[in-house]
Amino acid sequence: MIFVERPDAPEAVKQALNKRGLITRMTEIEAAMWFYADVEPDPPDPKHVKPVEAPNYQAYKHDTVKDLLDSIFRGHCAYCESRYDHVVKMDVEHYRPKGAVVEADGTKTAPGYYWLAASWENLLPSCNLCNRANSQELTHADGSSIIATKGKANFFPLLVGTVRATKKGDELHEDPLLLDPCNPDHDPAKHLLFRSDGLVEPRKSLEEQAKPRGMATIETCALHRSTLVEIRRADATLLRDAMAGILRAEGVCRRHPTDAIAREELIHEEAELEALIPRLNFRAMTRELVALFKTIRDGVNSYFTAEQAWRADKAQANIDIIIARARQLSQILELAGLHQPFVAELLKIARVPIGAHVDQAN
């Protein structure tokens, strides 16, 4: 899950969401407001008749709306980031549920946020496994798994102490726990940690401690369902293999600095990683692992540059620099947290003898 900037609705989307019925001569929201809140359309029309039942919401399903949501999220589910286009049709998901709300204790309240049923800011693209309640196998951070019915459906958790909105405008005073990927104040990167083994956990951050949105989003949208864990792990493996190819090619270049073929192979491996990144499903995990790889690669190159200087001149100053560079790499490994196996494997491929130098430093 990543932050995605939502553009203002273009005129075509506004028209689709605010289309008036041929018979009612009202938009869906005008009809809902009159039915539920006794608020008549403004300006009134002599042919307006107060609805005797709730509107059958259809405007949000318009192809113009779907096409724009698909475009800004680039074919990814707003919650789990799976590419839905090759598997199932996209669900247009209401961040705040339109029909009813299910509370944590299972009680159901109707109506839901009916005044937002055709609001552009309340719509997201979703795969049906995130959007609908399904029986799913869930994998927890410790590797255990259970079968449970999960999916957002009509759930919309709020921070404890928040009063749920029941009329238009009250939602501005809510404090949702479900992450909104288009809200800059809900940056998913501060709340969710996508591990290199495919698992997902709430991030240990001040933001998550204050408002456990990561935990709520994982549970509400089943971001820990086993199928997701497996394909995230597959993406991480592809990344690791591509990164390993770069580290190996750099090792060959260091041993044979004048070998043009070795240099070409390194360029090829770098291009392979660049080409792979946009093909992967999970952009949040990919960004995190790519940033971590850059740190590892920079540290490895700094270490071998120091080693080369030491081979040319075994002065104590150069020995101290090697030890310092090895210590930096050791710290990268130590601070990698849940990514430690990923980092350790890449350092092993790079053939950096961290332990020996750290022992010498001590």
Side-chain angles (χ1 to χ4, degrees):
M1 190 176 190
I2 62 170
F3 170 71
V4 174
E5 187 172 356
R6 183 193 297 272
D8 293 336
E11 192 59 34
V13 168
K14 291 179 181 178
Q15 290 178 3
L17 293 174
N18 293 287
K19 184 178 180 179
R20 296 183 180 278
L22 294 175
I23 298 176
T24 67
R25 301 174 68 89
M26 290 180 285
T27 67
E28 290 179 354
I29 300 307
E30 286 175 335
M33 290 293 293
W34 202 354
F35 177 76
Y36 286 117
D38 205 28
V39 176
E40 294 186 43
D42 185 23
D45 185 319
K47 295 184 178 180
H48 282 165
V49 177
K50 184 176 181 178
V52 295
E53 59 183 15
N56 180 21
Y57 303 111
Q58 296 294 320
Y60 72 93
K61 299 178 182 179
H62 195 280
D63 286 344
T64 303
V65 177
K66 291 182 177 180
D67 290 345
L68 184 55
L69 288 172
D70 181 75
S71 175
I72 65 176
F73 280 84
R74 299 184 180 181
H76 293 259
C77 171
Y79 294 120
C80 75
E81 290 200 275
S82 296
R83 293 183 190 270
Y84 47 75
D85 50 349
H86 298 309
V87 183
V88 294
K89 292 182 178 180
M90 177 186 76
D91 280 354
V92 178
E93 137 74 0
H94 289 78
Y95 175 67
R96 285 179 165 87
K98 63 184 184 303
V101 180
V102 175
E103 304 294 349
D105 62 2
T107 59
K108 186 176 182 179
T109 303
Y113 299 82
Y114 58 87
W115 62 93
L116 298 175
S119 170
W120 167 240
E121 289 73 23
N122 194 47
L123 303 178
L124 295 168
S126 176
C127 70
N128 55 34
L129 290 179
C130 281
N131 188 36
R132 309 178 194 181
N134 297 275
S135 177
Q136 306 189 63
E137 182 181 23
L138 309 175
T139 302
H140 295 296
D142 62 1
S144 63
S145 63
I146 61 169
I147 302 295
T149 298
K150 286 288 184 178
K152 181 176 177 291
N154 290 321
F155 287 97
F156 189 68
L158 301 175
L159 192 68
V160 174
T162 296
V163 178
R164 189 174 297 284
T166 57
K167 64 181 185 298
K168 184 177 181 179
D170 283 357
E171 73 275 8
L172 300 177
H173 305 293
E174 290 182 336
D175 206 342
L177 282 180
L178 183 69
L179 286 167
D180 178 356
C182 294
N183 186 339
D185 295 331
H186 284 209
D187 185 0
K190 296 179 180 178
H191 293 274
L192 294 170
L193 173 65
F194 293 97
R195 294 166 39 168
S196 51
D197 58 4
L199 295 169
V200 59
E201 291 189 359
R203 192 177 289 278
K204 292 179 172 61
S205 64
L206 294 177
E207 291 82 0
E208 178 67 14
Q209 290 176 18
K211 298 177 181 180
R213 289 177 172 143
M215 175 64 78
T217 304
I218 291 169
E219 291 295 327
T220 301
C221 298
L223 298 186
H224 53 332
R225 56 186 181 265
S226 298
T227 51
L228 273 179
V229 172
E230 290 173 6
I231 55 179
R232 277 199 296 259
R233 184 184 298 125
D235 273 12
T237 299
L238 290 172
L239 278 170
R240 182 204 61 204
D241 291 347
M243 293 167 181
I246 291 174
L247 294 176
R248 291 191 183 98
E250 282 188 326
V252 175
C253 287
R254 278 191 293 269
R255 293 190 296 274
H256 307 282
T258 62
D259 190 330
I261 295 178
R263 177 57 55 182
E264 288 177 5
E265 181 62 23
L266 174 57
I267 293 172
H268 170 75
E269 294 291 346
E270 291 172 331
E272 285 288 302
L273 177 60
E274 288 300 315
L276 172 66
I277 289 171
R279 298 201 305 267
L280 300 176
N281 283 284
F282 305 104
R283 294 168 292 182
M285 183 186 72
T286 297
R287 290 177 182 180
E288 183 152 347
L289 295 183
V290 168
L292 186 57
F293 173 64
K294 184 179 184 305
T295 300
I296 295 168
R297 187 181 182 188
D298 289 345
V300 168
N301 285 330
S302 294
Y303 170 83
F304 281 112
T305 297
E307 185 183 77
Q308 185 178 21
W310 170 77
R311 292 185 185 283
D313 181 0
K314 293 182 172 57
Q316 184 60 44
N318 287 333
I319 294 175
D320 292 341
I321 292 174
I322 290 181
I323 294 173
R325 297 293 182 266
R327 185 183 292 115
Q328 288 172 356
L329 287 172
S330 182
Q331 288 174 343
I332 291 172
L333 177 60
E334 181 181 346
L335 297 175
L338 297 171
H339 293 311
Q340 278 190 352
F342 185 85
V343 174
E345 188 168 357
L346 290 179
L347 290 176
K348 181 179 179 180
I349 290 168
R351 298 185 177 184
V352 181
I354 295 176
H357 289 300
V358 173
D359 290 343
Q360 186 176 350
N362 294 332

